[in-house]
Amino acid sequence: MLRKTLIVLAIMLLLGIGYVTQVLPGKFEAETNVVTGEELPEISAEARALHDSLFIADLHGDTLLWKRSMLDPVDRGHIDLPRMRTGNMALQVFSSVTKTPKGQNYDSNSDDTDNITLLAMAQLQPIRTWNSLVERSLYHAEKLQDAVNGSKGEMVFVRTPADLEGMIGRRTIKGSGIGVLFSAEGLHNLEGKSENLDRLYDAGLRMAGITHFFDNELGGSMHGEEKGGLTPFGREIIRKMEAKGIIVDIAHSSHASVKEILAMATRPVVSSHGGVQATCDVNRNLTDAEIRGVAATGGVIGIGYWDGAICDTSPAAIAAAIRHVRDLVGIEHVALGSDFDGAVTTGFDVSQVAQVTQALLNAGFTAEEIRAVMGANTVRVLMQGLVPRD
């Protein structure tokens, strides 16, 4: 009797482990990265022809966080290779998310808790990632490299301006190929050690946000408890990033940190994903003064597609935020920053990015302005910002 009971308990335990590791991660992602299913405008012949001629670049996607291969079509989330192909994507920045607080919100979060540890365990990631933030990012870099290796040449890891130039030339000649660039969402993954930036750079890191949803060793987050400025370590790392050719991303940084970053910047700065307070008065979005500050560095502002960025999920709301940046500082300082697969709800996925092209046409943007927003501005900043200094 005892033996039968133990067998039953063992079976139940194995079934439970199987559910947690094989079913639950996909279920959680499906409930976290949502497409609304709302009716979208029809894409006109003019918009389709223009969209198919564009070099389209997106500054922020969080697909590496989830347990799935981006090479295969899936029925959840926002990004995979087949959908990027359908959407005519030419360059996608993939970010490494390494820590998020429980009860995450836009107003105030401590760094005392972490959702990603449980996710790493449930996804059966390597044990080295369970208690090390830098190892989580290094694992994400490996995942991205594995996807590139498995794409049969369709995807190219962009580390240098030459890589990007090659991708532009390839698409001009063949009309195909997708560049991928590795980023980090918050440099708490350095674990307070400057040398970890070198390790991440060697793994392909070429863009990084200073903070995410909580204050860290580098500075204050817009969603942290103190929301302070940069620390001495933060200033050290920003100088080192600029020297190595890692683009500084102010998304999620506190207003105090943003002011200090823009004041010390000697290279183009980006806000990879978010919105502007003029069209969506949410604390994480940029003020007009901050928009002017980014423009003064030669940088770009990536407009997101979710409610927290544009107070809506419609393509028209994306176009409205883009129009505000254009009218304030010029068309050369605004870009796309979807935040696809970033635990957000959007009106469409990457296969339907032509909706942005259509919305910009509807809003009166010229073809050349649309070409700039959809990718040319991002290419310019990458060409300038990826070059290491001697």
Side-chain angles (χ1 to χ4, degrees), residues 37-58:
E38 64 194 69
E39 186 174 354
L40 295 167
E42 184 177 350
I43 304 299
S44 68
E46 178 187 9
R48 176 56 62 190
L50 175 58
H51 188 81
D52 289 346
S53 75
L54 300 175
F55 187 98
I56 303 168
D58 179 13

Side-chain angles (χ1 to χ4, degrees), residues 279-326:
T279 64
C280 183
D281 190 12
V282 173
N283 67 353
R284 66 150 293 150
N285 295 335
L286 299 182
T287 66
D288 282 359
E290 290 166 341
I291 295 169
R292 292 188 184 99
V294 172
T297 72
V300 291
I301 294 150
I303 300 300
Y305 304 166
W306 78 103
D307 182 74
I310 55 173
C311 290
D312 197 349
T313 56
S314 70
I318 300 169
I322 291 171
R323 181 172 56 234
H324 178 76
V325 179
R326 179 199 66 181

Side-chain angles (χ1 to χ4, degrees), residues 321-336:
I322 291 171
R323 181 172 56 234
H324 178 76
V325 179
R326 179 199 66 181
D327 293 348
L328 186 68
V329 294
I331 193 66
E332 64 269 28
H333 299 297
V334 62
L336 305 182

Side-chain angles (χ1 to χ4, degrees), residues 13-25:
L13 178 62
L14 289 173
L15 289 174
I17 292 172
Y19 177 79
V20 168
T21 59
Q22 302 302 317
V23 178
L24 195 57

